[in-house]
Amino acid sequence: MNIIEGTIASPKGYYADGLHCGIRKEKKDLGWIVSTVPAQAAAVYTLNHVKAAPILVTKEALLANSELQAVIVNSGIANACTGKQGLAAAYETQQLIAAKLGIKSNQVAVASTGVIGKQLSMTEVKQGIVQLSQDNQTPAAFHEAILTTDTGTKEVVVTAEIGGQLVTMAGVAKGSGMIHPNMATMLSFITTDAKIDAALLSELLKETVDNTYNQITVDGDTSTNDMVLVMANGCADNQEIIVNTEDYLLFKKLFHFVAEVLAKKVAQDGEGATKLIEVQVQHGQTKEAARLIAKKIVGSSLVKSAMFGEDPNWGRIICAAGYAGPELEAGDVDIFLGSEQVLKNGEPQEYDAAKVQEVLEKESILIVVDLKQGEATGVAWGCDLTYKYVEINACYHT
Amino acid sequence: MNIIEGTIASPKGYYADGLHCGIRKEKKDLGWIVSTVPAQAAAVYTLNHVKAAPILVTKEALLANSELQAVIVNSGIANACTGKQGLAAAYETQQLIAAKLGIKSNQVAVASTGVIGKQLSMTEVKQGIVQLSQDNQTPAAFHEAILTTDTGTKEVVVTAEIGGQLVTMAGVAKGSGMIHPNMATMLSFITTDAKIDAALLSELLKETVDNTYNQITVDGDTSTNDMVLVMANGCADNQEIIVNTEDYLLFKKLFHFVAEVLAKKVAQDGEGATKLIEVQVQHGQTKEAARLIAKKIVGSSLVKSAMFGEDPNWGRIICAAGYAGPELEAGDVDIFLGSEQVLKNGEPQEYDAAKVQEVLEKESILIVVDLKQGEATGVAWGCDLTYKYVEINACYHT
């Protein structure tokens, strides 16, 4: 596997663009990814019972048809809790893209990110759609167009030889760097030119998401607009990827790598964050239990505050492990901050304060919790809780 | 029911004291409540799988024997994650009190609150126990001795005529106003002179706790030391309270009132808090679902930040309702800030901004969410998320 410079349109047979149409004041706010041929596609959506209009429209399209040829995304307005008018706007956007490309509506996915409860102005959207370019001059503009107040774009591109051909996979994500409210939306799009069936792609997506995107947390608030969408257009002309072959395992590795890189970038750029925190829970009873405990630790406001303050407060870590849900034996637990052990078999350890301080001063902090129960590992990523987080989310008036 | 001035020792047949023994630098750190006769008793404990030593010791005592005559509490050290030495310290404390009072060890409950992972020094504890007074000169000192960095004591005393006699019920609690870490412990003690059987008392306690203490959240972190304990010594000499009688309903009302007042005081005095937030979820499908949604809304970092910023950001409220777990129909939901409606049947409403601003500027904010699903109501209490919260929990070095 090689990591290369590139964009969401680096895999063969894709183009992408992004521009400012007027939903936001100045920044780019509309973008698309188009495959020149129908692509096998799969998506996972927010589990929030309040789902934004574009989520409903995309879900319907993919249920009718596990192929996509285009994704249209706007930032600035989430089109969530916007009732009938909002749903009509999402459908109209989908139809306008289908008409422009001469494809079916259900080959177009729609995504939005931004403020909840405000209506999308179709005047701007329509004008923007007219201007979206069908060549591949500025694909990186798409990476920008999906951001809200993220501090930078988030992308990764990898290649590998699969099924006798060079296969490329690209991913892009937006995370949450809110100055405006209700923008804690996670959107991620992955393109590949690999030949793979939608059913297998969907299965792989679910598995990958459980280990990556679903294991990050910034503030515990699940948005109404989250979506991870993958398209595979087969333009690499590889021999089709079949389950449990060597090609499949390599493709899975690429997929997992792309998703993990993007998930970590989203965690690292969480609202107000100064540090990326990685929690590894080792020797858990089941994968689910280990993941859950890792996620609860990394999501604890007390652990997050301690990491901001660079304080080796392991009591908060074991406390969070204890309330995560799965059974654990406090008397068995070991905790390490970086490579320094602070708890052994549930008993406090004398540790080298200077070495621990070194670990905590880094921009990326590793916390290892060993449960000594079984063979499962769970990893989760998050960020510290800072004054800036409170500022971003309080010093705004709707 | 009358609300009166008083202390945890206001019900007949109790005395209490509190003093400084040296666990903390200057503040009171040891206290007890004693009943002159054995009292029927019940307790609920933290659901954290990591339980502090005093929790284990008290649980064992109450399992052996649903009677208590004394509770000994220290603040400053939580005696959690302290291994065998910590457990031995909790047992020794229990035995010292039993010896001093000439009662059985399993008639003594032990509770601690403070730093996780540090050992309790028995030298100070022993010295303090010697000094604890057996008259009732300074019962209010107990209210102080259980605090960590709460900004004030939390107590309530009520009376009513039950079973032909004046019955008194008193409650005291400590919440979380952390400057030192890992002190987010909730301890609450309730005394009454009513005559009631321990089994019925225990049933009532569980029901009451579900509606009150379990419905508050400051930061989502469940401590290793939480405990709510109630003693009923029968000294009021009322006719014994029997289930489903008028007396029972009145006693239940007193109990619920005391618990709710204390729970709200704990929420209001949450770390760094400037506002008490009450969320009422109406017309839920079940009580559990309504409670869960209310608690998720009041626990959302984004809702808490918005309340700190006095921002009418209802999008964050419906978003939290949506990810709470229970099914809901976004198109049915109404939201009110105070008495001002901001969402009706899932559609944004024009509202009087000045009136909404008035609601948000108050020290106590009411959020009402109407699901229009059924007949169940759930209420939860919390506080805003402020710079001070981050300061308290980050600007400390272990």
Side-chain angles (χ1 to χ4, degrees):
Chain A
M1 184 178 76
N2 290 307
I3 303 168
I4 64 164
E5 291 286 309
T7 69
I8 194 67
S10 291
K12 286 188 195 120
Y14 291 93
Y15 58 88
D17 192 21
L19 49 77
H20 171 75
C21 76
I23 303 169
R24 304 182 69 193
K25 273 187 197 151
E26 289 176 351
K27 292 187 175 170
K28 292 194 175 67
D29 51 18
L30 191 75
W32 72 356
I33 307 169
V34 182
S35 173
T36 52
V37 297
Q40 296 291 293
V44 288
Y45 314 94
T46 182
L47 294 176
N48 198 313
H49 291 302
V50 180
K51 289 180 175 56
I55 294 281
L56 302 176
V57 169
T58 298
K59 214 169 173 176
E60 189 183 84
L62 271 170
L63 274 176
N65 184 348
S66 47
E67 273 183 8
L68 286 178
Q69 226 177 309
V71 189
I72 175 82
V73 189
N74 76 274
S75 60
I77 298 280
N79 197 4
C81 301
T82 45
K84 286 165 199 158
Q85 189 183 332
L87 194 61
Y91 277 123
E92 191 181 356
T93 305
Q94 185 189 40
Q95 281 149 13
L96 288 167
I97 295 296
K100 176 161 174 154
L101 294 171
I103 58 177
K104 287 181 286 180
S105 285
N106 62 18
Q107 290 180 309
V108 180
V110 184
S112 299
T113 175
V115 187
I116 294 178
K118 293 213 171 136
Q119 298 292 350
L120 194 60
S121 162
M122 287 307 292
T123 316
E124 283 79 15
V125 172
K126 277 181 198 166
Q127 180 191 312
I129 288 174
V130 170
Q131 288 172 43
L132 282 172
S133 152
Q134 278 174 263
D135 59 36
N136 201 24
Q137 296 280 310
T138 53
F142 178 81
H143 305 203
E144 284 176 55
I146 64 171
L147 303 183
T148 50
T149 50
D150 302 58
T151 66
T153 61
K154 297 165 183 71
E155 58 272 308
V156 60
V157 186
V158 292
T159 61
E161 204 185 299
I162 295 179
Q165 298 291 342
L166 184 78
V167 161
T168 304
M169 185 183 285
V172 60
K174 79 154 297 268
S176 44
M178 308 208 315
I179 284 175
H180 224 57
N182 301 312
M183 293 202 177
T185 310
M186 218 279 299
L187 289 180
S188 183
F189 305 99
I190 297 170
T191 55
T192 178
D193 46 22
K195 194 178 285 176
I196 183 171
D197 176 68
L200 186 55
L201 194 64
S202 177
E203 197 184 299
L204 266 174
L205 175 65
K206 286 196 181 77
E207 195 181 326
T208 302
V209 165
D210 278 345
N211 283 308
T212 56
Y213 298 104
N214 284 350
Q215 286 298 98
I216 59 173
T217 181
V218 170
D219 49 18
D221 284 270
T222 304
S223 140
T224 47
N225 290 54
D226 293 341
M227 183 193 299
V228 180
L229 189 145
V230 56
M231 293 197 285
N233 68 4
C235 289
D237 213 24
N238 58 300
Q239 206 183 325
E240 187 175 332
I241 297 163
I242 304 296
V243 75
N244 293 336
T245 56
E246 214 168 286
D247 282 350
Y248 168 84
L249 293 174
L250 183 53
F251 183 80
K252 184 173 163 174
K253 194 175 149 190
L254 257 66
F255 205 168
H256 189 279
F257 179 81
V258 166
E260 184 174 317
V261 166
L262 293 173
K264 283 166 80 167
K265 286 187 182 203
V266 170
Q268 186 149 34
D269 193 26
E271 301 159 346
T274 69
K275 290 173 190 295
L276 172 70
I277 307 169
E278 175 168 329
V279 177
Q280 288 181 5
V281 171
Q282 299 178 344
H283 300 107
Q285 227 146 19
T286 64
K287 229 180 164 66
E288 292 66 34
R291 274 188 204 140
L292 181 59
I293 293 170
K295 200 169 171 183
K296 280 283 181 181
I297 293 171
V298 90
S300 152
S301 292
L302 291 170
V303 172
K304 288 159 65 83
S305 301
M307 293 301 105
F308 175 50
E310 301 181 351
D311 179 32
N313 200 323
W314 59 264
R316 295 179 181 176
I317 297 168
I318 189 160
C319 178
Y323 69 67
E327 292 282 343
L328 59 86
E329 204 48 68
D332 288 343
V333 178
D334 291 355
I335 296 180
F336 298 80
L337 297 173
S339 55
E340 298 302 309
Q341 186 157 17
V342 292
L343 189 75
K344 188 174 179 177
N345 296 325
E347 306 258 358
Q349 298 297 293
E350 295 291 327
Y351 55 79
D352 183 333
K355 278 192 184 164
V356 167
Q357 207 47 45
E358 253 175 57
V359 169
L360 298 177
E361 278 167 8
K362 289 186 184 154
E363 274 182 26
S364 174
I365 298 174
L366 175 66
I367 297 171
V368 178
V369 178
D370 192 336
L371 302 176
K372 300 182 199 153
Q373 293 178 315
E375 289 309 314
T377 299
V379 184
W381 300 273
C383 58
D384 52 347
L385 176 59
T386 68
Y387 297 118
K388 189 85 187 163
Y389 175 87
V390 178
E391 186 188 324
I392 290 169
N393 289 300
C395 295
Y396 166 83
H397 278 254
T398 303
Chain B
M1 183 177 77
N2 289 307
I3 304 168
I4 63 165
E5 290 286 309
T7 70
I8 195 67
S10 291
K12 285 189 196 119
Y14 291 93
Y15 57 88
D17 192 20
L19 49 77
H20 171 75
C21 76
I23 303 169
R24 304 181 69 194
K25 274 185 197 153
E26 290 175 352
K27 292 187 176 171
K28 291 194 176 68
D29 50 18
L30 192 74
W32 72 355
I33 307 168
V34 182
S35 173
T36 53
V37 296
Q40 296 290 294
V44 288
Y45 314 94
T46 181
L47 293 176
N48 197 313
H49 290 303
V50 180
K51 288 180 176 54
I55 294 280
L56 302 175
V57 170
T58 299
K59 214 169 172 175
E60 190 183 83
L62 273 170
L63 274 175
N65 183 348
S66 47
E67 272 183 9
L68 286 179
Q69 225 176 309
V71 190
I72 175 82
V73 189
N74 76 274
S75 59
I77 297 280
N79 196 5
C81 301
T82 45
K84 286 164 198 159
Q85 189 183 330
L87 194 61
Y91 277 123
E92 192 182 354
T93 305
Q94 184 188 42
Q95 282 149 14
L96 288 167
I97 295 296
K100 177 161 173 153
L101 293 171
I103 58 177
K104 287 182 286 181
S105 286
N106 62 19
Q107 290 178 307
V108 180
V110 185
S112 299
T113 174
V115 187
I116 294 179
K118 293 213 170 135
Q119 298 292 351
L120 194 60
S121 163
M122 287 307 291
T123 317
E124 282 79 14
V125 173
K126 278 180 198 166
Q127 181 192 312
I129 288 174
V130 170
Q131 289 172 42
L132 282 171
S133 151
Q134 280 176 262
D135 58 36
N136 200 23
Q137 296 280 309
T138 54
F142 178 82
H143 304 202
E144 283 175 55
I146 64 172
L147 303 183
T148 50
T149 50
D150 301 58
T151 66
T153 61
K154 296 165 184 71
E155 58 273 308
V156 60
V157 187
V158 293
T159 61
E161 204 186 298
I162 295 180
Q165 298 292 341
L166 185 78
V167 161
T168 304
M169 184 182 284
V172 60
K174 79 155 297 270
S176 44
M178 307 207 316
I179 284 175
H180 224 56
N182 301 313
M183 293 202 174
T185 310
M186 217 279 299
L187 289 180
S188 185
F189 305 99
I190 297 169
T191 55
T192 178
D193 45 22
K195 194 178 284 175
I196 183 170
D197 177 66
L200 185 55
L201 195 63
S202 177
E203 198 183 299
L204 266 173
L205 176 65
K206 287 196 181 78
E207 194 182 327
T208 302
V209 165
D210 278 346
N211 283 308
T212 56
Y213 298 104
N214 284 349
Q215 287 298 97
I216 59 173
T217 182
V218 170
D219 48 19
D221 284 270
T222 304
S223 141
T224 48
N225 290 53
D226 293 342
M227 184 194 297
V228 180
L229 189 145
V230 56
M231 293 197 285
N233 68 3
C235 289
D237 214 24
N238 57 299
Q239 206 183 325
E240 188 175 332
I241 296 162
I242 305 297
V243 74
N244 294 336
T245 56
E246 214 168 286
D247 283 348
Y248 168 85
L249 293 174
L250 183 53
F251 183 80
K252 185 172 163 176
K253 193 177 151 189
L254 257 65
F255 205 169
H256 189 279
F257 179 81
V258 166
E260 185 176 316
V261 167
L262 293 173
K264 284 167 80 167
K265 286 187 182 203
V266 170
Q268 186 150 33
D269 194 26
E271 300 158 346
T274 69
K275 290 173 191 292
L276 172 70
I277 308 168
E278 174 169 329
V279 177
Q280 289 181 5
V281 171
Q282 300 178 343
H283 300 108
Q285 227 145 20
T286 65
K287 229 178 165 67
E288 293 65 35
R291 275 188 205 138
L292 182 58
I293 293 170
K295 201 169 171 184
K296 280 283 182 181
I297 293 170
V298 90
S300 153
S301 292
L302 290 170
V303 172
K304 287 159 65 84
S305 301
M307 293 301 105
F308 175 49
E310 302 181 351
D311 178 32
N313 200 324
W314 59 264
R316 295 179 180 175
I317 297 167
I318 189 160
C319 178
Y323 69 67
E327 292 281 343
L328 60 85
E329 204 48 70
D332 287 344
V333 178
D334 290 356
I335 296 180
F336 298 80
L337 298 173
S339 55
E340 297 302 309
Q341 185 157 19
V342 291
L343 189 76
K344 189 175 178 176
N345 296 326
E347 307 256 359
Q349 297 298 293
E350 295 292 328
Y351 55 80
D352 182 334
K355 278 191 185 165
V356 167
Q357 207 49 43
E358 252 175 59
V359 169
L360 298 177
E361 279 167 8
K362 289 186 184 153
E363 275 183 23
S364 174
I365 298 174
L366 175 66
I367 297 171
V368 179
V369 178
D370 191 335
L371 302 176
K372 300 182 200 152
Q373 294 178 314
E375 288 309 314
T377 299
V379 184
W381 301 274
C383 58
D384 52 347
L385 176 60
T386 67
Y387 297 118
K388 189 86 187 163
Y389 176 87
V390 178
E391 187 188 322
I392 291 169
N393 288 301
C395 295
Y396 166 85
H397 277 254
T398 303

